[in-house]
Each structure stands twice: as structure tokens, then as C-alpha cells.
Amino acid sequence: MSSDQDHLKETDTEARFEFKKEQKSSFQADKGLTEETIRVISEDKDEPEWMLQRRLRALKHFQEMPMPTDWPGQPDLSEVDVNEIVPYIRPDVETRGGVDDWTDLPDEIKDTFDKLGIPEAEKNALSGVGAQYESEVVYQNMQERWEEKGVVFMNMDQAVQEHEDLVKEYFMTKCVPPSDNKFAALHGAIWSGGSFVYVPEDTTVDMPVQAYFRMNSEGMGQFEHTLIIAEEGSEVHYIEGCSAPKYSAFNLHSGGVEVFVGEDAHVQYSTVQNWSKNTYNLNTKRAIVEKNGRMEWISGSMGSKATMLYPASILKGRGASDNHITIAFAGEGQNIDTGAKVYHNAPNTKSTIESKSISKDGGRTNYRGLVHISEGARNSSTAVECDALMFDNESTSDTMPYMEINESTVDVAHEATVGKIGDEDIFYLQSRGLDDDDAKQMIVSGFIEPITEELPIEYAVELNRLVELEMEGSLG
């Protein structure tokens, strides 16, 4: 990497995310969502008939389901009109399904991921990398030693062709059906790209795999699908990064994530989302966890105009466990509505939820969560902790926890705190030589430390820097 790139990577996070590239595509669907659009997308991808039929069934669900408008305090979605969204843009890359060498990409796409630091991260800290640009994955690579052990990491479009039986069995059938909610139905109709991860029995992938999703074009929607299957006794850490430059027209991100955690398996799913302030981020993420399996969700959400994101885990087997750690940051004009859902459907299951939110300049954050303990899920336990930090009197932070407890022999705990950065705290740090901005940054860094310490060092540094830029109001 050149010295110029080193300087960009280390010091100018704002420039890394806010740049724009001239739109170049080899195929672009018309605006809106119709049966004809879906048939065109499916034909362009050369999909099997069963996938086309699933898309069309999802379209029917989308058309029949109302827009969510009656949730207390939910973000305003009145601007979201799918008829104004371009649902599919295939970037101008010669090799369908992506390349496995960065030098084979067109210069403008390669330069995008160079600025984001993805090739450098691959060399230093990752087992595999996937990079999506607009609607399709343009780069995919996995270290040979993991391929030799049977680990699969490829884009979803390729998996439909090469692992058809697995995809047909797991894709939006058991975990996130299109009937789940309106945006899951939208996703099922026009999904494109994303990641397929398969880890064989008793295989531990000891370095993370990462996928990065970049929206470059104005007025588009990105609908990537991630499917992770971790067989019995396996372990994998998947990291997801997302970003987009700011435009005047709204963009829509509506991804889907399905994770299957086998008996005694462990999956960690970490995501740092830095969308621009014209983006609506409306995702559906869910995991099914078998006996003694362990699922971890670590999420950082900032930048978007509105976010509705509630990763869910279904603890299906005895002794299954789930851990959620989330951070949300809302500035002026932003409504970041995040949380978690956990369903205890077996005895001796355990869950913990830790939520951290920061709001400033009139921004709003909200924790919206659900813990459901089914009858018969004896000796299960859950603990929910929500902490909110506000910079001013104009900002707001709400907590909306829902507990549905249908079993008596369980342990349930919930704690919530809301506070402002106090003048006495600032004064104390200033007396130790810090200026006002540095003092606030130190307080915030300590506030989010439980999350950053769970990430690899490269991503912890990145998350801290993104929060710092949000505090400065620098990101679009």
C-alpha cells in the first residue's frame, strides 16, 4: 500500500466513506417493484425456477402486507416508496460472481475498496473477504487452508448455482420467511448478492471472514442476503461492514441474515454500519440455535436517516445461549431504533442483551426489545441492560423492553439508565489537561468500551473513529 493510502486509512476516516464514484453499470433494472422486474432480475442471474417462484411468492406477501406505522415511537417511513427505488444494478465487471484478485477489478471499483481499506485488512487479519458493489459481489476470496477443510465462503448468487440443495433447504424457509414482515417480503422478492458461509462439523475458523457492502448510486436499494450454516462443534466469526455516500434522493437498505448454529457450535456476527443520512436501514436478522450452541450479535449502527434493526435468536435446543451487544448513535435528523429479540424455547437456555445508545443535536435513539420464555423452558435466564447517553436537552432516548414470561422457574433481570454528560465530568477531565471535545470523546469511548473490546483491534479502532466523526457532525 502506498504512503498516500496509509495516510488515508489511518487519519481520514471521513474521506474513506464520503467519496462518490461515477455510476457505471452493465445492467440496471427500472425503478419500482413489479412481477416483470423480478422476472428480469432472476433471468439476468440465470436462476433455477424454484428461486424465481420464491421471489414471486415474496412479492405477493409484500403487496398484501401493510407498511408498519403503528409501533410506538417508530421512525417515520413515509418517504420510503419502493416505486422510486432502483432495485437492481449489476456493476460493470466482466466476471459474473466476482473475481479473486483485486487487480482484475475495474479501476473505479478497486479504488473504492482501496479507500475503505478492505484489501489491506484481508492481508492482515482475515480468513476470507467478500466485497459487494451495488447489487452484486465483485470480489470473493478464501484462504486455501480453509477451503481444504471444507469451509465454503462465496457469494449467494454463486451458492444458488453450486450448492443448490443447501440453499433450497435453508433460504428463507425456516429462519426468516417472507411472511415475517413487509421488508422481509421485499427482501425475498428482490434480494441480490450477499454471503454464503458453510462450516463443516468440528471445524474452527480461527480468523474472521468479512463481507463489505457498498452502495454507490443515488436512489438505489441494496438487498444482500447472508446465509451462515455452522455444523455441530464448529466455530466462525463473520464481520459485516456497510457504507454509502450521501445523496439528495433517499436510498434503501433492506438486507436479510439467516444463521443456523448447530449443536455445540459457536457463531459470532459483528457488524459496523455507517450509512449516509439519506439512507433508510431496514433489516431482518435471525438465528436458530441448537442444543448447547452459542450465538453472539455485536452491532454498531450509525449514519442512516432511520434504522429499524432487531437481530433475533431462537434458542431451540437445551442449553443454547445468546449474547447481544449493540451501540446506536443518532445526530440531527436521525431516528435510530434498534434492539434485540430472544425466544427461549428450551430448558436451561441463557441470553444477555447489552444496549448502548448515544444521541446529540436533537437525534433520537430507542431500544426496542423482546424476550420470550416459553412454557417448559425451565431454568432459563435472561438479563437486559440498556444505557443511554445524551449530549443536550433536545436529544431523546427511549427504552421499550417487552418481557413475555410463560414459565415460573426462570431468572429474569432488566436494568436501564439514561443520563447526560455532566459538567462536573467535563470539568474534571479539563483539569487534567483535556479540552472540551477531547473530554467528551474520552467519556464516550469509555461508554462504548464493552462493545469495542469484543471486536478485532482494526474494527474497534474504526468504530471509535466513526463515533468521533459523528460527534463532530462530519459524516454525511
Short mmCIF file of all heavy atoms in Angstrom, two decimals, residues 126-182:
data_model
loop_
_atom_site.label_atom_id
_atom_site.label_comp_id
_atom_site.label_asym_id
_atom_site.label_seq_id
_atom_site.Cartn_x
_atom_site.Cartn_y
_atom_site.Cartn_z
N LEU A 126 -7.78 -11.46 8.19
CA LEU A 126 -8.99 -12.16 7.79
C LEU A 126 -8.71 -13.50 7.12
O LEU A 126 -7.71 -13.66 6.42
CB LEU A 126 -9.81 -11.28 6.84
CG LEU A 126 -10.25 -9.92 7.40
CD1 LEU A 126 -10.82 -9.07 6.28
CD2 LEU A 126 -11.28 -10.10 8.50
N SER A 127 -9.65 -14.44 7.32
CA SER A 127 -9.57 -15.72 6.63
C SER A 127 -10.13 -15.63 5.22
O SER A 127 -9.76 -16.40 4.34
CB SER A 127 -10.35 -16.79 7.41
OG SER A 127 -9.75 -17.05 8.65
N GLY A 128 -11.06 -14.72 5.01
CA GLY A 128 -11.68 -14.56 3.70
C GLY A 128 -12.38 -13.23 3.62
O GLY A 128 -12.75 -12.63 4.63
N VAL A 129 -12.59 -12.75 2.38
CA VAL A 129 -13.23 -11.45 2.15
C VAL A 129 -14.19 -11.55 0.98
O VAL A 129 -13.89 -12.17 -0.04
CB VAL A 129 -12.17 -10.35 1.86
CG1 VAL A 129 -12.84 -9.11 1.27
CG2 VAL A 129 -11.43 -9.97 3.12
N GLY A 130 -15.36 -10.93 1.15
CA GLY A 130 -16.27 -10.70 0.04
C GLY A 130 -16.56 -9.22 -0.03
O GLY A 130 -16.68 -8.55 1.00
N ALA A 131 -16.66 -8.68 -1.24
CA ALA A 131 -16.93 -7.25 -1.41
C ALA A 131 -18.06 -7.07 -2.40
O ALA A 131 -17.97 -7.53 -3.54
CB ALA A 131 -15.68 -6.52 -1.89
N GLN A 132 -19.14 -6.43 -1.96
CA GLN A 132 -20.29 -6.18 -2.83
C GLN A 132 -20.34 -4.71 -3.20
O GLN A 132 -20.22 -3.83 -2.35
CB GLN A 132 -21.59 -6.60 -2.16
CG GLN A 132 -22.83 -6.35 -3.04
CD GLN A 132 -24.03 -7.16 -2.63
OE1 GLN A 132 -23.90 -8.25 -2.06
NE2 GLN A 132 -25.22 -6.67 -2.93
N TYR A 133 -20.59 -4.44 -4.49
CA TYR A 133 -20.70 -3.09 -5.03
C TYR A 133 -22.03 -3.00 -5.73
O TYR A 133 -22.30 -3.75 -6.66
CB TYR A 133 -19.54 -2.85 -6.00
CG TYR A 133 -19.32 -1.42 -6.44
CD1 TYR A 133 -18.61 -0.54 -5.63
CD2 TYR A 133 -19.80 -0.96 -7.65
CE1 TYR A 133 -18.36 0.77 -6.05
CE2 TYR A 133 -19.57 0.34 -8.08
CZ TYR A 133 -18.85 1.20 -7.27
OH TYR A 133 -18.61 2.49 -7.69
N GLU A 134 -22.90 -2.11 -5.26
CA GLU A 134 -24.28 -2.04 -5.73
C GLU A 134 -25.00 -3.35 -5.42
O GLU A 134 -25.07 -3.75 -4.27
CB GLU A 134 -24.34 -1.70 -7.23
CG GLU A 134 -23.44 -0.55 -7.66
CD GLU A 134 -23.82 0.82 -7.10
OE1 GLU A 134 -24.35 0.88 -5.98
OE2 GLU A 134 -23.55 1.82 -7.77
N SER A 135 -25.46 -4.08 -6.44
CA SER A 135 -26.31 -5.25 -6.20
C SER A 135 -25.58 -6.59 -6.26
O SER A 135 -26.19 -7.62 -5.98
CB SER A 135 -27.46 -5.28 -7.23
OG SER A 135 -28.27 -4.15 -7.11
N GLU A 136 -24.29 -6.60 -6.62
CA GLU A 136 -23.61 -7.89 -6.78
C GLU A 136 -22.22 -7.88 -6.16
O GLU A 136 -21.57 -6.83 -6.05
CB GLU A 136 -23.52 -8.27 -8.26
CG GLU A 136 -24.88 -8.55 -8.89
CD GLU A 136 -24.78 -9.51 -10.06
OE1 GLU A 136 -23.67 -9.73 -10.57
OE2 GLU A 136 -25.83 -10.03 -10.47
N VAL A 137 -21.79 -9.06 -5.74
CA VAL A 137 -20.44 -9.24 -5.22
C VAL A 137 -19.45 -9.16 -6.37
O VAL A 137 -19.62 -9.81 -7.41
CB VAL A 137 -20.32 -10.60 -4.50
CG1 VAL A 137 -18.87 -10.88 -4.13
CG2 VAL A 137 -21.21 -10.62 -3.26
N VAL A 138 -18.42 -8.33 -6.19
CA VAL A 138 -17.43 -8.14 -7.25
C VAL A 138 -16.09 -8.80 -6.91
O VAL A 138 -15.24 -8.97 -7.78
CB VAL A 138 -17.20 -6.64 -7.54
CG1 VAL A 138 -18.46 -6.00 -8.10
CG2 VAL A 138 -16.74 -5.88 -6.28
N TYR A 139 -15.90 -9.16 -5.64
CA TYR A 139 -14.65 -9.82 -5.23
C TYR A 139 -14.97 -10.84 -4.16
O TYR A 139 -15.76 -10.59 -3.25
CB TYR A 139 -13.66 -8.79 -4.68
CG TYR A 139 -12.39 -9.41 -4.12
CD1 TYR A 139 -11.31 -9.69 -4.96
CD2 TYR A 139 -12.28 -9.73 -2.78
CE1 TYR A 139 -10.15 -10.28 -4.44
CE2 TYR A 139 -11.12 -10.32 -2.26
CZ TYR A 139 -10.07 -10.59 -3.10
OH TYR A 139 -8.93 -11.17 -2.60
N GLN A 140 -14.37 -12.01 -4.24
CA GLN A 140 -14.58 -13.06 -3.24
C GLN A 140 -13.32 -13.91 -3.17
O GLN A 140 -12.79 -14.36 -4.20
CB GLN A 140 -15.77 -13.94 -3.63
CG GLN A 140 -16.24 -14.86 -2.51
CD GLN A 140 -17.26 -14.20 -1.62
OE1 GLN A 140 -18.11 -13.46 -2.08
NE2 GLN A 140 -17.18 -14.46 -0.33
N ASN A 141 -12.83 -14.11 -1.95
CA ASN A 141 -11.63 -14.94 -1.82
C ASN A 141 -11.62 -15.58 -0.43
O ASN A 141 -12.08 -15.00 0.54
CB ASN A 141 -10.36 -14.09 -2.01
CG ASN A 141 -9.14 -14.95 -2.24
OD1 ASN A 141 -9.24 -16.07 -2.74
ND2 ASN A 141 -7.98 -14.44 -1.88
N MET A 142 -11.10 -16.80 -0.37
CA MET A 142 -10.99 -17.54 0.89
C MET A 142 -9.60 -18.16 0.95
O MET A 142 -9.09 -18.67 -0.06
CB MET A 142 -12.05 -18.66 0.93
CG MET A 142 -12.11 -19.43 2.23
SD MET A 142 -13.03 -18.54 3.49
CE MET A 142 -12.85 -19.64 4.90
N GLN A 143 -8.97 -18.10 2.12
CA GLN A 143 -7.66 -18.72 2.25
C GLN A 143 -7.74 -20.22 1.93
O GLN A 143 -8.67 -20.90 2.34
CB GLN A 143 -7.11 -18.52 3.66
CG GLN A 143 -6.65 -17.10 3.95
CD GLN A 143 -5.95 -17.00 5.30
OE1 GLN A 143 -5.70 -18.00 5.97
NE2 GLN A 143 -5.64 -15.78 5.70
N GLU A 144 -6.75 -20.69 1.21
CA GLU A 144 -6.76 -22.07 0.72
C GLU A 144 -6.85 -23.09 1.84
O GLU A 144 -7.51 -24.13 1.70
CB GLU A 144 -5.49 -22.33 -0.10
CG GLU A 144 -5.48 -23.68 -0.79
CD GLU A 144 -4.27 -23.84 -1.69
OE1 GLU A 144 -3.69 -22.82 -2.12
OE2 GLU A 144 -3.91 -25.01 -1.98
N ARG A 145 -6.25 -22.79 2.99
CA ARG A 145 -6.25 -23.78 4.08
C ARG A 145 -7.66 -24.05 4.60
O ARG A 145 -7.95 -25.15 5.08
CB ARG A 145 -5.34 -23.33 5.22
CG ARG A 145 -5.76 -22.06 5.94
CD ARG A 145 -4.71 -21.67 6.97
NE ARG A 145 -4.98 -20.41 7.62
CZ ARG A 145 -5.12 -20.28 8.94
NH1 ARG A 145 -5.03 -21.33 9.72
NH2 ARG A 145 -5.35 -19.09 9.47
N TRP A 146 -8.56 -23.06 4.50
CA TRP A 146 -9.92 -23.29 4.95
C TRP A 146 -10.73 -24.02 3.88
O TRP A 146 -11.58 -24.86 4.19
CB TRP A 146 -10.59 -21.96 5.31
CG TRP A 146 -9.87 -21.26 6.42
CD1 TRP A 146 -9.26 -20.03 6.38
CD2 TRP A 146 -9.64 -21.75 7.74
NE1 TRP A 146 -8.68 -19.74 7.58
CE2 TRP A 146 -8.90 -20.78 8.44
CE3 TRP A 146 -9.99 -22.93 8.40
CZ2 TRP A 146 -8.51 -20.95 9.75
CZ3 TRP A 146 -9.60 -23.10 9.73
CH2 TRP A 146 -8.87 -22.12 10.38
N GLU A 147 -10.47 -23.71 2.63
CA GLU A 147 -11.13 -24.44 1.55
C GLU A 147 -10.80 -25.93 1.63
O GLU A 147 -11.66 -26.78 1.38
CB GLU A 147 -10.72 -23.86 0.21
CG GLU A 147 -11.25 -22.45 -0.04
CD GLU A 147 -10.82 -21.91 -1.39
OE1 GLU A 147 -9.87 -22.47 -1.96
OE2 GLU A 147 -11.43 -20.94 -1.86
N GLU A 148 -9.57 -26.24 1.98
CA GLU A 148 -9.15 -27.65 2.08
C GLU A 148 -9.87 -28.38 3.20
O GLU A 148 -10.00 -29.61 3.16
CB GLU A 148 -7.63 -27.72 2.29
CG GLU A 148 -6.82 -27.28 1.08
CD GLU A 148 -5.33 -27.21 1.36
OE1 GLU A 148 -4.95 -27.29 2.56
OE2 GLU A 148 -4.55 -27.06 0.40
N LYS A 149 -10.34 -27.64 4.20
CA LYS A 149 -11.08 -28.26 5.31
C LYS A 149 -12.58 -28.29 5.04
O LYS A 149 -13.36 -28.69 5.92
CB LYS A 149 -10.80 -27.50 6.60
CG LYS A 149 -9.36 -27.64 7.09
CD LYS A 149 -9.16 -26.94 8.44
CE LYS A 149 -7.74 -27.15 8.94
NZ LYS A 149 -7.53 -26.51 10.27
N GLY A 150 -12.99 -27.84 3.86
CA GLY A 150 -14.40 -27.90 3.50
C GLY A 150 -15.20 -26.66 3.84
O GLY A 150 -16.43 -26.66 3.67
N VAL A 151 -14.53 -25.61 4.31
CA VAL A 151 -15.23 -24.37 4.60
C VAL A 151 -15.60 -23.70 3.28
O VAL A 151 -14.79 -23.61 2.35
CB VAL A 151 -14.36 -23.42 5.45
CG1 VAL A 151 -15.07 -22.09 5.68
CG2 VAL A 151 -13.99 -24.08 6.77
N VAL A 152 -16.83 -23.23 3.18
CA VAL A 152 -17.30 -22.55 1.97
C VAL A 152 -17.61 -21.10 2.32
O VAL A 152 -18.32 -20.81 3.29
CB VAL A 152 -18.57 -23.22 1.41
CG1 VAL A 152 -19.07 -22.47 0.17
CG2 VAL A 152 -18.31 -24.69 1.09
N PHE A 153 -17.05 -20.18 1.53
CA PHE A 153 -17.36 -18.75 1.67
C PHE A 153 -17.44 -18.18 0.26
O PHE A 153 -16.44 -18.01 -0.42
CB PHE A 153 -16.26 -18.06 2.49
CG PHE A 153 -16.46 -16.57 2.63
CD1 PHE A 153 -17.69 -16.05 3.01
CD2 PHE A 153 -15.41 -15.69 2.41
CE1 PHE A 153 -17.87 -14.68 3.15
CE2 PHE A 153 -15.58 -14.33 2.55
CZ PHE A 153 -16.81 -13.81 2.92
N MET A 154 -18.68 -17.93 -0.18
CA MET A 154 -18.87 -17.44 -1.54
C MET A 154 -20.09 -16.52 -1.55
O MET A 154 -20.83 -16.41 -0.57
CB MET A 154 -19.06 -18.60 -2.52
CG MET A 154 -20.27 -19.46 -2.25
SD MET A 154 -20.56 -20.73 -3.53
CE MET A 154 -19.00 -21.58 -3.58
N ASN A 155 -20.31 -15.87 -2.68
CA ASN A 155 -21.48 -15.00 -2.76
C ASN A 155 -22.75 -15.84 -2.95
O ASN A 155 -22.70 -16.96 -3.45
CB ASN A 155 -21.31 -13.95 -3.84
CG ASN A 155 -21.43 -14.51 -5.24
OD1 ASN A 155 -22.51 -14.83 -5.72
ND2 ASN A 155 -20.30 -14.64 -5.92
N MET A 156 -23.88 -15.29 -2.53
CA MET A 156 -25.13 -16.05 -2.52
C MET A 156 -25.58 -16.45 -3.93
O MET A 156 -26.12 -17.54 -4.13
CB MET A 156 -26.24 -15.24 -1.84
CG MET A 156 -26.32 -15.42 -0.33
SD MET A 156 -26.57 -17.11 0.23
CE MET A 156 -28.06 -17.55 -0.65
N ASP A 157 -25.36 -15.58 -4.90
CA ASP A 157 -25.77 -15.93 -6.26
C ASP A 157 -25.02 -17.16 -6.76
O ASP A 157 -25.59 -18.04 -7.42
CB ASP A 157 -25.51 -14.74 -7.20
CG ASP A 157 -26.41 -13.56 -6.88
OD1 ASP A 157 -27.63 -13.72 -6.97
OD2 ASP A 157 -25.89 -12.50 -6.53
N GLN A 158 -23.74 -17.24 -6.43
CA GLN A 158 -22.94 -18.40 -6.80
C GLN A 158 -23.39 -19.64 -6.04
O GLN A 158 -23.45 -20.74 -6.59
CB GLN A 158 -21.46 -18.11 -6.52
CG GLN A 158 -20.51 -19.20 -6.98
CD GLN A 158 -19.05 -18.84 -6.68
OE1 GLN A 158 -18.76 -17.77 -6.13
NE2 GLN A 158 -18.14 -19.72 -7.04
N ALA A 159 -23.75 -19.46 -4.76
CA ALA A 159 -24.19 -20.59 -3.94
C ALA A 159 -25.48 -21.20 -4.48
O ALA A 159 -25.69 -22.41 -4.40
CB ALA A 159 -24.38 -20.14 -2.50
N VAL A 160 -26.37 -20.36 -5.03
CA VAL A 160 -27.61 -20.88 -5.63
C VAL A 160 -27.28 -21.87 -6.73
O VAL A 160 -27.98 -22.89 -6.92
CB VAL A 160 -28.47 -19.72 -6.17
CG1 VAL A 160 -29.64 -20.25 -7.00
CG2 VAL A 160 -29.00 -18.87 -5.03
N GLN A 161 -26.20 -21.62 -7.46
CA GLN A 161 -25.81 -22.50 -8.57
C GLN A 161 -25.00 -23.71 -8.11
O GLN A 161 -25.21 -24.82 -8.58
CB GLN A 161 -24.97 -21.69 -9.58
CG GLN A 161 -25.63 -20.42 -10.09
CD GLN A 161 -26.85 -20.67 -10.94
OE1 GLN A 161 -27.03 -21.75 -11.47
NE2 GLN A 161 -27.71 -19.66 -11.06
N GLU A 162 -24.07 -23.50 -7.16
CA GLU A 162 -23.10 -24.54 -6.80
C GLU A 162 -23.48 -25.35 -5.56
O GLU A 162 -22.96 -26.44 -5.35
CB GLU A 162 -21.72 -23.92 -6.60
CG GLU A 162 -21.16 -23.26 -7.86
CD GLU A 162 -19.75 -22.74 -7.69
OE1 GLU A 162 -19.08 -23.15 -6.71
OE2 GLU A 162 -19.31 -21.94 -8.53
N HIS A 163 -24.35 -24.81 -4.71
CA HIS A 163 -24.81 -25.53 -3.51
C HIS A 163 -26.34 -25.44 -3.45
O HIS A 163 -26.92 -25.08 -2.43
CB HIS A 163 -24.16 -24.94 -2.25
CG HIS A 163 -22.67 -25.08 -2.22
ND1 HIS A 163 -22.04 -26.22 -1.77
CD2 HIS A 163 -21.69 -24.23 -2.62
CE1 HIS A 163 -20.72 -26.05 -1.87
NE2 HIS A 163 -20.49 -24.87 -2.39
N GLU A 164 -26.95 -25.81 -4.54
CA GLU A 164 -28.37 -25.61 -4.71
C GLU A 164 -29.20 -26.31 -3.64
O GLU A 164 -30.16 -25.73 -3.11
CB GLU A 164 -28.81 -26.07 -6.11
CG GLU A 164 -30.27 -25.79 -6.40
CD GLU A 164 -30.65 -26.12 -7.83
OE1 GLU A 164 -29.75 -26.43 -8.64
OE2 GLU A 164 -31.85 -26.07 -8.15
N ASP A 165 -28.85 -27.55 -3.28
CA ASP A 165 -29.65 -28.30 -2.31
C ASP A 165 -29.64 -27.61 -0.95
O ASP A 165 -30.69 -27.52 -0.29
CB ASP A 165 -29.12 -29.73 -2.18
CG ASP A 165 -29.40 -30.56 -3.43
OD1 ASP A 165 -30.25 -30.14 -4.23
OD2 ASP A 165 -28.77 -31.62 -3.59
N LEU A 166 -28.46 -27.15 -0.49
CA LEU A 166 -28.37 -26.47 0.80
C LEU A 166 -29.16 -25.16 0.78
O LEU A 166 -29.90 -24.86 1.72
CB LEU A 166 -26.91 -26.18 1.15
CG LEU A 166 -26.13 -27.29 1.86
CD1 LEU A 166 -24.67 -26.87 2.03
CD2 LEU A 166 -26.73 -27.60 3.23
N VAL A 167 -28.98 -24.39 -0.27
CA VAL A 167 -29.67 -23.11 -0.35
C VAL A 167 -31.19 -23.33 -0.41
O VAL A 167 -31.96 -22.63 0.27
CB VAL A 167 -29.18 -22.30 -1.56
CG1 VAL A 167 -29.99 -21.02 -1.71
CG2 VAL A 167 -27.70 -21.97 -1.42
N LYS A 168 -31.60 -24.30 -1.20
CA LYS A 168 -33.03 -24.57 -1.33
C LYS A 168 -33.64 -24.97 0.01
O LYS A 168 -34.78 -24.61 0.34
CB LYS A 168 -33.26 -25.68 -2.36
CG LYS A 168 -34.72 -25.88 -2.75
CD LYS A 168 -34.84 -26.87 -3.90
CE LYS A 168 -36.28 -27.01 -4.35
NZ LYS A 168 -36.41 -27.97 -5.48
N GLU A 169 -32.87 -25.69 0.84
CA GLU A 169 -33.36 -26.14 2.14
C GLU A 169 -33.45 -24.99 3.15
O GLU A 169 -34.41 -24.91 3.92
CB GLU A 169 -32.43 -27.23 2.71
CG GLU A 169 -32.85 -27.71 4.09
CD GLU A 169 -31.91 -28.76 4.66
OE1 GLU A 169 -30.96 -29.17 3.95
OE2 GLU A 169 -32.10 -29.15 5.83
N TYR A 170 -32.45 -24.09 3.15
CA TYR A 170 -32.34 -23.11 4.23
C TYR A 170 -32.79 -21.70 3.85
O TYR A 170 -33.10 -20.91 4.74
CB TYR A 170 -30.88 -23.05 4.71
CG TYR A 170 -30.44 -24.23 5.53
CD1 TYR A 170 -29.73 -25.27 4.94
CD2 TYR A 170 -30.73 -24.31 6.88
CE1 TYR A 170 -29.31 -26.37 5.68
CE2 TYR A 170 -30.32 -25.40 7.64
CZ TYR A 170 -29.60 -26.43 7.04
OH TYR A 170 -29.20 -27.50 7.78
N PHE A 171 -32.80 -21.35 2.59
CA PHE A 171 -33.03 -19.96 2.19
C PHE A 171 -34.48 -19.53 2.45
O PHE A 171 -35.40 -19.98 1.77
CB PHE A 171 -32.67 -19.78 0.71
CG PHE A 171 -32.84 -18.36 0.21
CD1 PHE A 171 -31.81 -17.46 0.30
CD2 PHE A 171 -34.05 -17.94 -0.33
CE1 PHE A 171 -31.96 -16.15 -0.15
CE2 PHE A 171 -34.22 -16.64 -0.78
CZ PHE A 171 -33.17 -15.75 -0.69
N MET A 172 -34.69 -18.71 3.46
CA MET A 172 -35.98 -18.09 3.79
C MET A 172 -37.10 -19.12 3.93
O MET A 172 -38.25 -18.88 3.53
CB MET A 172 -36.34 -17.00 2.77
CG MET A 172 -35.32 -15.88 2.70
SD MET A 172 -35.86 -14.39 1.82
CE MET A 172 -36.88 -13.60 3.09
N THR A 173 -36.76 -20.28 4.53
CA THR A 173 -37.75 -21.32 4.78
C THR A 173 -37.99 -21.55 6.26
O THR A 173 -39.13 -21.77 6.68
CB THR A 173 -37.32 -22.65 4.14
OG1 THR A 173 -36.01 -23.01 4.65
CG2 THR A 173 -37.25 -22.54 2.63
N LYS A 174 -36.93 -21.49 7.07
CA LYS A 174 -37.04 -21.84 8.49
C LYS A 174 -36.78 -20.65 9.41
O LYS A 174 -37.32 -20.59 10.51
CB LYS A 174 -36.02 -22.95 8.84
CG LYS A 174 -36.07 -24.16 7.94
CD LYS A 174 -34.93 -25.12 8.27
CE LYS A 174 -34.91 -26.33 7.34
NZ LYS A 174 -33.81 -27.25 7.67
N CYS A 175 -35.94 -19.75 8.98
CA CYS A 175 -35.44 -18.71 9.87
C CYS A 175 -36.16 -17.38 9.63
O CYS A 175 -36.77 -16.82 10.55
CB CYS A 175 -33.94 -18.55 9.65
SG CYS A 175 -33.04 -17.82 11.02
N VAL A 176 -36.09 -16.86 8.42
CA VAL A 176 -36.75 -15.60 8.06
C VAL A 176 -37.66 -15.84 6.86
O VAL A 176 -37.26 -15.63 5.71
CB VAL A 176 -35.73 -14.49 7.74
CG1 VAL A 176 -36.47 -13.18 7.42
CG2 VAL A 176 -34.77 -14.28 8.90
N PRO A 177 -38.88 -16.30 7.07
CA PRO A 177 -39.80 -16.47 5.93
C PRO A 177 -40.26 -15.11 5.43
O PRO A 177 -40.32 -14.14 6.20
CB PRO A 177 -40.96 -17.26 6.53
CG PRO A 177 -40.94 -16.92 7.98
CD PRO A 177 -39.49 -16.72 8.34
N PRO A 178 -40.58 -14.98 4.16
CA PRO A 178 -41.05 -13.70 3.62
C PRO A 178 -42.30 -13.17 4.33
O PRO A 178 -42.54 -11.96 4.34
CB PRO A 178 -41.35 -14.01 2.15
CG PRO A 178 -40.51 -15.20 1.83
CD PRO A 178 -40.45 -16.00 3.10
N SER A 179 -43.08 -14.05 4.92
CA SER A 179 -44.29 -13.64 5.62
C SER A 179 -44.02 -12.98 6.97
O SER A 179 -44.94 -12.50 7.63
CB SER A 179 -45.21 -14.86 5.83
OG SER A 179 -44.52 -15.87 6.56
N ASP A 180 -42.75 -12.93 7.37
CA ASP A 180 -42.40 -12.40 8.70
C ASP A 180 -42.76 -10.93 8.85
O ASP A 180 -43.31 -10.52 9.86
CB ASP A 180 -40.91 -12.61 8.95
CG ASP A 180 -40.51 -12.21 10.36
OD1 ASP A 180 -40.74 -13.01 11.27
OD2 ASP A 180 -39.98 -11.09 10.54
N ASN A 181 -42.42 -10.11 7.87
CA ASN A 181 -42.73 -8.68 7.92
C ASN A 181 -42.63 -8.11 6.50
O ASN A 181 -42.11 -8.77 5.59
CB ASN A 181 -41.82 -7.93 8.90
CG ASN A 181 -40.37 -7.94 8.48
OD1 ASN A 181 -39.96 -7.22 7.57
ND2 ASN A 181 -39.55 -8.79 9.13
N LYS A 182 -43.10 -6.91 6.31
CA LYS A 182 -43.18 -6.34 4.96
C LYS A 182 -41.80 -6.22 4.32
O LYS A 182 -41.64 -6.47 3.12
CB LYS A 182 -43.87 -4.97 5.00
CG LYS A 182 -44.21 -4.43 3.59
CD LYS A 182 -45.05 -3.18 3.66
CE LYS A 182 -45.45 -2.67 2.27
NZ LYS A 182 -46.38 -3.57 1.57
#
